[in-house]
Amino acid sequence: MTGFVFFDTETTGLRMGFDQIVHFAAIRTDHELNEVDRFEVRSRLQAHVVPHPKAIRTNGLPIASLVDADLPSHYAMMCAIARRISDWSPAIFVGYNSMRFDEEMLRHGLFQSLHDPYLTSRPGNGRADALSLALAAFALAPDSLFTLEGPEGRRSFKLADMAISNGLAHAGAHDALADASVTLELCRLVRARADEVWQRFQRFSNKSAVSQFVETEDGFILSEFFGGGLAVHRPVASIGGPPGNANGRLCLDLSVDPERWKSMSDEELAAEICRKGTPVRRLAVNGCPALTELWAAPEELMTGLDADVAEERARRLKADTDLCARIVSVYSGSWNARDPSPFPELRLYDGGFPCDSDRQRRQAFHEASPQERLEIAKSFEDARLAVFGRRLVHAEHRGSLREAERFREDLDLANRLLDARAGPLTLPEAVSELDELVANGEHGSSALLDDYRRWLVAKIERVEKFRTAHRNRT
């Protein structure tokens, strides 16, 4: 890999698939964390997206700035992001709390814009989360980073608090470029003060390296991090992958002798492992987990278990392939099957990968004229891509649609904005959420939310007027 890309996003809310990125920024560095380039882009609000009032309050973005016609469209922004990620690859892509949020928002944005959602996971690239690095550094090298302590003794690992406690300049919290800059500075601190933690972080940003490690090591320490900086370290051994998840691995806590599990019935085994605090632990090989070799683990990470005993238990467990398979089967058998979502936005991981023909159509869409794009959208075999393609044509080239097609898309948009269907946030729901914030005294800048409320009410009136005027037209 040639270096790192530190990035951040600002969004209209927290719901993957339904909310959108409105500000993306990234800083490219070399392998030594020296900046070599930076990139920043914003977009205006999509017609079908309703920002959550809490996001408006947190990001401090006036609604007028989100609907500014001079800003690029969301589609144009995502095209620019896709080009930049491709130009900067191969690299290790790093955010702060990015595995749970920014990476997911980016994937959904690319997916709905008819780009490859897995650009940061392309061969040669790596993905890593600086929040996990900060938690690992605090647990394994306590002198490397400082944290703020709240009134209940809980440590705060919020990016803004980490900047304050470590003396880092943070010009604008919840500004994508400012947050990307602070993330880079935190990584520089850990690299300078806890090089071993940094080297492990860098190594395990590559999923091939993680896969090889968990398969070839008999046993290892898995460090998991929870709220308030709580770190739990367990000696474990990998026992296989969960069904249907190529990037998942199940590991078994070695603090219990494997012989105990062999004597149990399936019912007894399920009672022990299908519960809160289960000895079966999950990791994602593409999630930059915190792993340490048993022989290299400091004593405090071994939780009272001798390293030689853990190694011997790991070897016995992995040699007993029948037991490993039974534990995987019993554990995964307890998961409740769920039906696919009726919303294509929520089926990024449920619908499989597009076929080769659709991937070619996806690329052709970006290069086509407005008239050609509609025909391409209609030709997608993947129903999800067909919905996104039609939506993009309606948003980008509404005038190119036939009257009947334009009306159908307009009506679908109106229904989406007004009718609650346990899906995306609607305009009336946003008003209710906003009023609740104000009633609870959580409104922050009242002018900011007052402006947003006026915009919501006016939007509701316009959309309702459209539906009333066309109620009898189908």
Side-chain angles (χ1 to χ4, degrees):
M1 296 180 188
T2 58
F4 298 85
V5 174
F6 295 87
F7 75 99
D8 189 69
T9 65
E10 300 303 328
T11 70
T12 60
L14 304 177
R15 298 195 64 188
M16 315 298 178
F18 291 139
D19 281 301
Q20 72 166 85
I21 296 171
V22 293
H23 186 195
F24 176 92
I27 300 172
R28 185 187 183 192
T29 75
D30 61 18
H31 202 68
E32 302 299 315
L33 300 185
N34 300 304
E35 181 178 339
V36 296
D37 201 359
R38 59 175 53 196
F39 170 74
E40 183 177 14
V41 64
R42 297 177 186 269
S43 86
R44 62 180 181 266
L45 190 65
Q46 296 182 92
H48 63 276
V49 174
V50 179
H52 198 288
K54 287 184 178 179
I56 295 285
R57 179 197 62 186
T58 300
N59 296 335
L61 292 174
I63 186 61
S65 70
L66 293 178
V67 296
D68 184 350
D70 291 332
L71 287 173
S73 68
H74 180 264
Y75 172 69
M77 179 187 71
M78 294 312 304
C79 287
I81 292 172
R83 286 193 298 269
R84 189 56 60 108
I85 291 174
S86 297
D87 290 346
W88 281 356
S89 297
I92 300 174
F93 290 83
V94 184
Y96 199 87
N97 195 30
S98 53
M99 288 301 183
R100 293 182 180 180
F101 186 71
D102 301 89
E103 278 276 0
E104 291 300 311
M105 291 298 298
L106 182 59
R107 282 184 171 184
H108 281 280
L110 290 167
F111 181 49
Q112 294 179 32
S113 301
L114 300 182
H115 291 284
D116 178 4
Y118 303 103
L119 288 179
T120 59
S121 300
R122 278 181 174 175
N125 285 339
R127 301 191 308 151
D129 194 327
L131 172 59
S132 295
L133 174 68
L135 290 164
F138 182 75
L140 304 176
D143 294 333
S144 61
L145 288 179
F146 302 101
T147 61
L148 298 180
E149 187 173 331
E152 298 179 359
R154 292 170 64 87
R155 301 284 178 175
S156 173
F157 286 86
K158 293 181 179 179
L159 186 60
D161 290 342
M162 292 298 290
I164 293 171
S165 60
N166 289 279
L168 303 177
H170 196 190
H174 302 296
D175 173 87
L177 186 57
D179 287 352
S181 299
V182 170
T183 300
L184 168 57
E185 291 300 329
L186 279 174
C187 288
R188 285 172 173 162
L189 281 181
V190 176
R191 182 175 182 267
R193 298 172 179 174
D195 186 62
E196 186 175 346
V197 176
W198 172 252
Q199 293 301 329
R200 290 181 187 279
F201 173 77
Q202 187 175 207
R203 174 187 177 189
F204 293 134
S205 68
N206 182 279
K207 73 175 186 178
S208 296
V210 177
S211 296
Q212 183 180 36
F213 179 89
V214 299
E215 298 306 324
T216 57
E217 291 288 327
D218 290 326
F220 52 91
I221 300 294
L222 172 64
S223 296
E224 298 173 288
F225 305 104
F226 303 93
L230 174 64
V232 178
H233 312 284
R234 294 181 177 89
V236 300
S238 174
I239 58 174
N245 185 354
N247 290 320
R249 296 293 184 274
L250 299 180
C251 303
L252 189 63
D253 193 330
L254 296 171
S255 61
V256 176
D257 193 305
E259 292 299 318
R260 179 185 175 192
W261 311 115
K262 293 177 68 172
S263 62
M264 291 183 176
S265 66
D266 285 356
E267 291 75 15
E268 293 170 329
L269 188 59
E272 285 290 322
I273 67 175
C274 303
R275 58 174 174 80
K276 186 177 181 179
T278 172
V280 178
R281 313 308 303 173
R282 302 170 69 173
L283 67 83
V285 297
N286 63 345
C288 196
L291 312 173
T292 308
E293 298 90 342
L294 287 175
W295 58 266
E299 186 175 340
E300 58 267 25
L301 267 62
M302 291 302 300
T303 62
L305 184 64
D306 182 80
D308 290 336
V309 172
E311 191 82 34
E312 188 273 332
R313 287 180 177 178
R315 282 195 293 268
R316 276 194 288 120
L317 176 64
K318 297 187 75 167
D320 194 337
T321 55
D322 289 341
L323 176 60
C324 290
R326 189 161 76 95
I327 293 173
V328 169
S329 176
V330 170
Y331 181 74
S332 59
S334 67
W335 300 345
N336 295 322
R338 58 183 178 86
D339 295 328
S341 170
F343 298 98
E345 299 94 332
L346 302 185
R347 296 207 299 269
L348 170 60
Y349 300 113
D350 289 343
F353 295 103
C355 64
D356 289 341
S357 296
D358 272 355
R359 284 197 289 269
Q360 293 171 5
R361 293 184 185 100
R362 195 168 59 184
Q363 181 58 40
F365 182 93
H366 303 304
E367 302 168 358
S369 67
Q371 292 74 21
E372 292 170 331
R373 283 180 172 178
L374 180 60
E375 297 308 311
I376 293 172
K378 292 177 179 179
S379 70
F380 278 118
E381 297 176 35
D382 189 317
R384 301 168 299 175
L385 301 185
V387 171
F388 301 148
R390 290 195 304 272
R391 184 181 294 165
L392 287 173
V393 172
H394 182 244
E396 299 287 315
H397 318 292
R398 183 174 178 275
S400 69
L401 296 174
R402 299 183 185 92
E403 183 181 358
E405 292 171 330
R406 187 166 58 247
F407 169 74
R408 184 171 59 250
E409 295 296 333
D410 288 345
L411 186 59
D412 284 347
L413 174 59
N415 292 335
R416 179 188 179 102
L417 291 173
L418 293 178
D419 298 339
R421 295 172 291 169
L425 185 69
T426 66
L427 295 166
E429 287 172 335
V431 172
S432 297
E433 292 281 353
L434 191 156
D435 289 344
E436 185 176 346
L437 276 181
V438 174
N440 293 336
E442 302 175 27
H443 55 283
S445 171
S446 57
L448 193 72
L449 291 189
D450 286 347
D451 286 346
Y452 185 39
R453 194 181 197 286
R454 283 191 289 270
W455 182 87
L456 288 168
V457 171
K459 184 88 169 178
I460 290 172
E461 291 176 355
R462 291 196 304 272
V463 177
E464 286 182 336
K465 183 177 180 180
F466 168 82
R467 283 213 309 188
T468 300
H470 298 87
R471 180 164 293 163
N472 297 323
R473 182 181 173 186
T474 58

